Amino acid sequence: KAGVTQTPRYLIKTRGQQVTLSCSPISGHRSVSWYQQTPGQGLQFLFEYFSETQRNKGNFPGRFSGRQFSNSRSEMNVSTLELGDSALYLCASRDPLAGGLTTGELFFGEGSRLTVL
Amino acid sequence: GNSVTQMEGPVTLSEEAFLTINCTYTATGYPSLFWYVQYPGEGLQLLLKATKADDKGSNKGFEATYRKETTSFHLEKGSVQVSDSAVYFCALGEAAGNKLTFGGGTRVLVKP
């Protein structure tokens, strides 16, 4: 079974631009979430999608947005990029039927490393 | 809100040494607790988990026990190998969903 696939793996943008990152979850996983990893702030939750609906959102400005498609693939977008948005963006998928009411195991992709100049 | 505090690294050990990484948490309700590991150049992967008080998670020789009375979930391994060199993250999860709150991570370096 293929793992979580994120594209692109690396990208460089300049301040003020926007960026779109893509995530293909493990086949059969309908729940997708995004995390930002930086040396200063560590791993922080961005948002979670299930069946094309945002279920939860972290404490990030409105410049950060996402969506999920009917095939469970997800994209996140960051508009008006700032230097502080330089980070590794991780996507994770989960089978909501696993784990019952508790948070089930998340399967992470290798991430998209964004550098903002 | 929820928070996780884990010991800062780096932790440098010799092969076959005993490893402990401390993790304490603050949460409302009854969260699930996790240890994730990030090997060099790879994504995060679940190492072990515990979903209720006194549960012990174990995998690959690593163990951690969910201690509600001390709000802790310390990671231990009796004899580390060079291949255990990685960054270890303690995390807690809310009752449902994908929102994990992570600790800052502890880098472990095992020397031959």
Side-chain angles (χ1 to χ4, degrees), chain A residues 31-33 35 37 43 45 48 55-57 88 90 92 94 99 101-106 108-110, chain B residues 32 34 36 38 41-46 49 51 89 93-104:
Chain A
S31 180
V32 173
S33 52
Y35 287 79
Q37 185 177 18
L43 278 155
F45 172 79
E48 173 191 352
R55 289 186 55 183
N56 209 342
K57 190 177 190 305
L88 180 66
L90 294 169
R94 179 173 74 94
L101 293 177
T102 61
T103 304
E105 176 179 358
L106 295 187
F108 284 85
E110 294 182 338
Chain B
S32 295
F34 305 86
Y36 277 82
Q38 190 172 35
E42 298 184 16
L44 285 163
Q45 55 185 274
L46 179 69
K49 72 174 184 180
T51 58
F89 293 90
E94 299 178 353
N98 290 1
K99 184 177 181 180
L100 294 179
T101 300
F102 285 90

Side-chain angles (χ1 to χ4, degrees), chain A residues 60-81:
Chain A
F60 279 82
R63 300 186 296 108
F64 291 80
S65 63
R67 59 177 175 169
Q68 186 181 33
F69 302 95
S70 58
N71 62 358
S72 295
R73 192 176 69 83
S74 177
E75 289 181 348
M76 67 163 283
N77 183 278
V78 187
S79 62
T80 319
L81 284 166

Side-chain angles (χ1 to χ4, degrees), chain B residues 60-76:
Chain B
K60 299 182 180 181
F62 290 88
E63 292 184 341
T65 302
Y66 189 164
R67 302 285 188 199
K68 196 171 189 303
E69 64 276 14
T70 54
T71 62
S72 64
F73 192 54
H74 305 322
L75 182 69
E76 297 181 336

